[in-house]
């Protein structure tokens, strides 16, 4: 088990890793507390108007593996202010027990869910970009904090999180701690000097999932994602043009 609190640049980082869900729960809870919003979720993963969460259980069976998840599902079907994009072929949410497709994308020996049962992955890519909108609208938004739970991080340096501002400038990056095979890694960061996070890029290992039980790229860590936690997306503030 590993845990740490650091402050690169003007971001406060909360991170933890271990083989069991209990190894990262304290870090996850500390991140929740730091953002605020309490512990009781309202509609669309809203907590007190201060943060949002996605644990993938809002995805119905019909839109889970083997069906692809629409990139705007969590801004249209369940408006939480995020739209996904990838260099690959779309996204999959893993099946629940009892569905036709095996759980954990068919890789239950390498991956497990933190908040059972669903996981999330890009298809044929290790890259997932998360762009923020005022929930339920097409109005660009930013957030001040974002956290994610990875499963399957075995090699340090293959899984990371990067924050970008509205101009596309990289303003924060951090590698996820090693959780081990089927283990968990929590990584979250919060802006402390008013930085506006417009997009988060998640790099999940090196190996990629092409379909249930089928790998695309076979070398490197096979990593999937579970819970997303982030501060409530708010309308982006336009920068004042330089004279």
């Amino acid at each position: 088990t590993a845990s740490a609190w650091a402050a690169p640049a003007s971001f406060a980082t909360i991170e933890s890793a271990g083989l069991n869900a209990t190894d990262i729960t304290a870090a996850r809870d500390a991140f929740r507390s730091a953002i605020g919003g309490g512990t009781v979720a309202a509609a669309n993963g809203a907590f007190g108007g201060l943060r949002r969460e996605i644990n993938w259980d809002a995805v119905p069976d019909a839109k889970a593996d083997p069906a692809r998840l629409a990139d705007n599902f969590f801004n249209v079907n369940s408006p939480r202010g995020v739209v996904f994009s990838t260099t690959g072929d779309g996204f999959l949410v893993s099946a629940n027990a009892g569905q036709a497709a095996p759980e954990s994308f068919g890789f239950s020996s390498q991956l497990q869910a933190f908040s059972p049962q669903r996981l999330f992955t890009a298809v044929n890519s290790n890259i997932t970009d998360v762009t923020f909108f005022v929930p339920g609208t097409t109005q660009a938004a930013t957030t001040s904090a974002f956290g994610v739970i990875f499963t399957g991080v075995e090699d340090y340096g293959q899984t990371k999180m990067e924050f970008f501002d509205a101009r596309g400038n990289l303003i924060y990056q951090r590698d996820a701690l090693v959780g081990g095979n089927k283990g968990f890694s929590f990584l979250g960061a919060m802006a402390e000097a008013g930085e506006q996070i417009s997009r988060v890029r998640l790099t999940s290992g090196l190996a990629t999932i092409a379909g249930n039980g089928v790998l695309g790229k076979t070398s490197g860590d096979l990593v999937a994602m579970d819970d997303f936690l982030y501060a409530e997306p708010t309308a982006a503030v336009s920068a004042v043009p330089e004279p």
Side-chain angles (χ1 to χ4, degrees):
T1 302
S3 298
W5 175 285
S10 54
F11 284 85
T13 303
I14 298 176
E15 55 190 348
S16 185
L19 293 175
N20 301 304
T22 53
D23 294 328
I24 67 165
T25 298
R28 188 277 313 268
D29 289 346
F31 189 74
R32 281 175 161 178
S33 179
I35 300 174
T39 59
V40 180
N44 301 316
F47 289 81
L50 297 178
R51 78 171 192 273
R52 299 270 177 157
E53 294 191 8
I54 299 173
N55 61 14
W56 313 109
D57 292 326
V59 176
D61 289 353
K63 295 184 181 297
D65 190 10
R68 300 286 174 88
L69 181 73
D71 57 8
N72 63 357
F73 181 91
F74 283 103
N75 198 41
V76 175
N77 303 72
S78 179
R80 306 188 191 196
V82 292
V83 173
F84 308 125
S85 57
T86 181
T87 55
D89 302 320
F91 301 97
L92 278 176
V93 171
S94 63
N96 281 339
Q99 290 186 245
E103 299 171 66
S104 300
F105 308 114
F107 296 101
S108 58
S109 65
Q110 295 162 273
L111 309 171
Q112 66 171 324
F114 173 79
S115 53
Q117 299 171 316
R118 300 198 189 281
L119 293 171
F120 176 70
T121 187
V123 178
N124 282 318
S125 177
N126 63 340
I127 299 295
T128 297
D129 282 318
V130 184
T131 303
F132 299 95
F133 294 87
V134 175
T137 77
T138 57
Q139 183 177 1
T142 60
T143 187
S144 61
F146 187 91
V148 59
I149 293 172
F150 296 104
T151 177
V153 178
E154 297 185 63
D155 295 298
Y156 187 76
Q158 294 186 16
T159 297
K160 64 182 178 179
M161 180 168 69
E162 299 168 283
F163 291 172
F164 297 86
D165 65 18
R167 292 181 173 178
N169 298 311
L170 177 65
I171 55 176
Y172 168 89
Q173 63 180 348
R174 188 84 164 181
D175 290 329
L177 298 175
V178 172
N181 184 55
K182 291 188 71 173
F184 299 106
S185 305
F186 176 80
L187 176 58
M190 299 161 288
E192 294 195 304
E195 297 91 345
Q196 298 178 43
I197 305 160
S198 179
R199 176 171 60 91
V200 174
R201 169 161 287 192
L202 303 170
T203 301
S204 304
L206 288 179
T208 62
I209 293 174
N212 196 289
V214 180
L215 294 177
K217 183 177 181 179
T218 58
S219 61
D221 280 359
L222 176 63
V223 177
M225 294 164 278
D226 204 325
D227 297 9
F228 287 7
L229 307 87
Y230 49 99
E232 180 75 13
T234 57
V237 178
S238 299
V240 177
E242 296 181 1

